Amino acid sequence: MYTTNIQATAAANRKAKLWEAYREAPTAENRDALTKEYVYLSVNIASRLSAYLGTAAAGHDLVEEGLPGLIDAIYKYDGTGRFEDFAGARIRKSMIDAVTKNADAKRLIIDTKKKIDAARKDLLAAGKPAEKKDVANALDMTLPQLIEAETAFTLSSASSFSYLEEGGSQPFPIDRKELAARLDASMQQLSNSEKKVVLMFYYENLSRKEICKILGLEDSEVLRILSGAMEKMQAEMAEYMDIFVKSV
């Protein structure tokens, strides 16, 4: 334990010095030093994501795919909260954006989310607990696998609702009136905070960082709200959820 504490302190001091150097001189050299220091985040996330995606991630070096997200986080981090939390979602999003250019990976993410939502609905209908651990057990998944699957869906569902706008491109033919009605019904299920974040993120095309500043929330909280909102909307939107997967 004592040795572990010493190592943790040394790592924290090393990171602090690297951040200080970068803020004083945001050069490519100092940025690269920070990238090397935090590349383990990309390694860890790649390990978890590849276990979930399996063969759908074939041909991708997920660690490499996550580096643009890590670099973007270094550029945008303002010192608020833990950098690891700030960077984690961006690294994972970068990986998912790369992988979901493949239709099989995109379909896996969508289909897994549908199975999770169906299992949750079945548990509730049977009067049983439907917490994440209960849904994971029902699907013979581990809790980390279920969380990874839901996070992957949330991060891949980052397009705006521009398909409802005149002139917006559509990935497949849709009944615009039915979609509008479904969307309106699904929005009624959301809390005020969820509606506010969904409108900002999807309709106004604001980034999560911008939403954090406006609402005074941590990035992890905005992500949690978006994930919860998408879960509620899934039941009403059904097959139309496919259009919320970002075209990349």
Side-chain angles (χ1 to χ4, degrees), residues 15-243:
K15 290 174 180 176
K17 289 180 180 178
L18 289 173
W19 277 113
E20 182 179 359
Y22 178 72
R23 288 180 179 123
E24 288 181 357
T27 62
E29 182 179 359
N30 287 335
R31 182 205 65 204
D32 290 346
L34 278 170
T35 302
K36 291 177 182 178
E37 178 67 28
Y38 286 102
V39 72
Y40 73 89
L41 294 175
S42 190
V43 173
N44 292 344
I45 293 170
S47 177
R48 294 194 294 273
L49 191 57
S50 62
Y52 159 55
L53 291 172
T55 57
H60 288 273
D61 182 341
L62 291 181
V63 175
E64 190 73 20
E65 304 285 14
L67 292 183
L70 174 57
I71 293 171
D72 182 60
I74 291 171
Y75 276 127
K76 296 178 179 177
Y77 182 55
D78 62 5
T80 302
R82 295 175 69 248
F83 176 75
E84 289 82 356
D85 296 333
F86 183 80
R90 285 160 179 76
I91 293 170
R92 184 178 274 99
K93 178 68 166 60
S94 182
M95 293 177 184
I96 291 171
D97 278 350
V99 171
T100 52
K101 290 178 183 178
N102 178 289
D104 290 339
K106 183 181 292 186
R107 175 55 56 188
L108 172 65
I109 290 173
I110 295 171
D111 287 349
T112 303
K113 185 62 169 65
K114 287 180 178 179
K115 290 177 182 177
I116 291 171
D117 291 334
R120 181 175 286 113
K121 183 183 294 185
D122 289 343
L123 288 171
L124 290 172
K128 298 179 180 179
E131 298 296 326
K132 289 184 184 294
K133 60 182 177 61
D134 304 306
V135 176
N137 288 334
L139 293 172
D140 197 25
M141 299 172 70
T142 65
L143 181 58
Q145 286 174 334
L146 182 137
I147 292 173
E148 192 68 52
E150 292 199 310
T151 302
F153 179 83
T154 299
L155 293 177
S156 65
S157 303
S159 68
S160 70
F161 292 162
S162 58
Y163 303 115
L164 295 176
E165 299 171 0
E166 290 300 327
S169 61
Q170 299 175 6
F172 55 83
I174 61 174
D175 184 325
R176 295 169 67 86
K177 290 184 178 180
E178 180 184 356
L179 176 55
R182 292 272 195 99
L183 180 58
D184 181 66
S186 67
M187 289 287 285
Q188 299 307 312
Q189 304 175 73
L190 306 184
S191 67
N192 288 335
S193 61
E194 287 172 333
K195 287 180 182 177
K196 186 179 296 184
V197 172
V198 165
L199 288 172
M200 287 180 171
F201 190 65
Y202 288 102
Y203 281 96
E204 299 175 23
N205 289 320
L206 297 180
S207 67
R208 292 208 311 270
K209 183 176 181 180
E210 290 171 326
I211 295 172
C212 287
K213 288 185 176 180
I214 293 171
L215 300 181
L217 299 174
E218 294 290 332
D219 184 66
S220 58
E221 178 65 9
V222 170
L223 182 56
R224 186 194 66 76
I225 292 173
L226 281 172
S227 180
M230 295 302 289
E231 286 183 16
K232 293 179 181 179
M233 296 175 74
Q234 171 72 22
E236 185 66 40
M237 296 299 292
E239 69 276 10
Y240 285 106
M241 287 303 291
D242 286 18
I243 70 169

